Amino acid sequence: MTTAAVATRSQAIFERAKAVIPGGVNSPVRSCKSVGSEPIFMDHADGSHLFDVDGNKYIDYVGSWGPMILGHRHPRVLEAIEITLKQGTSFGAPCRAEVEMAELVCKLMPSIEMVRMVNSGTEATMSAIRLARAFTKRTMIVKFDGCYHGHADSFLVKAGSGLATLGISSSPGAPDEITKLTVSIPFNDPAQLKKTFEKHGKEVAAVIIEPIVGNAGLILPEENYLQTIRELCTEHGALLIFDEVMTGFRVALGGAQDMYKIKPDLTTLGKIIGGGLPVGAYGGRKDIMEMVAPQGPVYQAGTLSGNPLAMAAGIAQLKTLQTPGTYAHLAENTTRLADGLKGLSKSIQVVSVPGMLGVFFNSKPVTDFESAQKCDTEQFGKVWRALIEKGIYWPPSQFEAAFISAVHTKHDIDNTIDAFKDAIK
Ligand code: KE4
């Protein structure tokens, strides 16, 4: 990005945006505040690249925060949208594409026997916990520090004090009366989870988890951790909800639940299944999902749920992802980048799974939110600002994961490694 003395186009647009949009952005992380920068307004995107309004080109590791697993403007996704456009944009009545999407999701994620489309990951997770509360006739939700499940009140809970303390709201407007029904405990701490169940066992409606944490940087579950959670939920009659909004169809075609061979009771999805258009979904065991209106009494609705354009884009993306070798190539791309970054400095930790990568500015491995918070976010910001000058659009927060697509080239990846080398110096 040129650092011209005169305001860039992006800066001029940002000034206008601040007058009419809170913080000038429609989602906080895009503000780039946490890396000491201003947001960069993009003009267009293609493949693994973004192009800002000042004509600067970037190798994109945000990928719209997950949807762009096939890169921007994949021909099959565009074609599906163009064909659908000829038929209309929204009917307010069911269409075939919604059934095709549901059948595809159930085929690719067999733990999902029935699924309901919604319009965002937040809608998916808030609906899933409502359903879990109805099914179990209990109210308590257990979540994990550092896991993000969207912005519904129940999830805006201060990271637990390490004990199974009742949730204290982390945002004005999210009443303690609601957040106290959520307990947030450390990730990768099976003993703490056991204690929580001992204390609240029969009150717990559901445990919701990002099986691979992508919202605290990238944190992997330790050996048998997810299995322990599965067993404890079964033992205490709580539902296990895998929030795979980010990992679904990314880390493997069947998601993290396929990677770790764990069968959750409910799964939430988003991002990739919309091919870049607004989408979310929740699904799982038939006996649970049958409680959702209009089949059952649990109310949930949405004007644009199952929107024809989002369905067409998502179906095209999911079908293309089934091309043999896609995930092997994604894994190869990710490993190439991870191997190139590992060892660049003793003060960074590099973690990766196919399609996702985390770089922590920390001399010790990061296994939970507490250790993630010990990262050098100042250094992260400095490196981020150096990378953007070199045409690398890295996620603008230490507490986010980088997204690699199937269309990042060796050239992209080698350039990125070189840029990191210079930036870290
Ligand atoms: P949305 O409501 O933003 O579609 O999804 C919420 C959500 C739920 N669950 C998981 C595991 C998620 O990662 C998300 C959203 N992810 C963030 C990225 N960290 C979205 C980016 C943003 O907030 O702008």
Side-chain angles (χ1 to χ4, degrees), residues 103-114:
E103 289 171 342
L104 204 42
V105 166
C106 294
K107 178 185 128 192
L108 298 177
M109 269 194 187
S111 74
I112 299 177
E113 297 170 333
M114 276 190 134

Side-chain angles (χ1 to χ4, degrees), residues 27 29-30 65 120-122 125 148-150 210 214-215 243 245-246 271 279 400:
S27 197
V29 72
R30 301 179 202 167
W65 298 100
S120 70
T122 294
T125 55
Y148 174 70
H149 304 294
E210 288 184 69
N215 286 290
D243 179 355
V245 166
M246 195 182 265
K271 299 180 192 274
V279 77
E400 295 288 354

Side-chain angles (χ1 to χ4, degrees), residues 106 109-113 207 209 211 226-227 229-231 233-234 238-242 244 254 256-267 283-288:
C106 294
M109 269 194 187
S111 74
I112 299 177
E113 297 170 333
V207 170
I209 191 165
L226 296 176
Q227 185 54 35
I229 297 175
R230 175 63 279 174
E231 287 163 6
C233 285
T234 306
L239 297 187
L240 175 56
I241 303 173
F242 264 21
E244 294 221 45
Q257 56 194 266
D258 180 44
M259 183 184 265
Y260 289 100
K261 304 292 178 244
I262 301 281
K263 190 175 180 192
D265 300 299
L266 293 173
T267 299
R285 280 171 35 194
K286 199 162 186 292
D287 61 325
I288 303 172

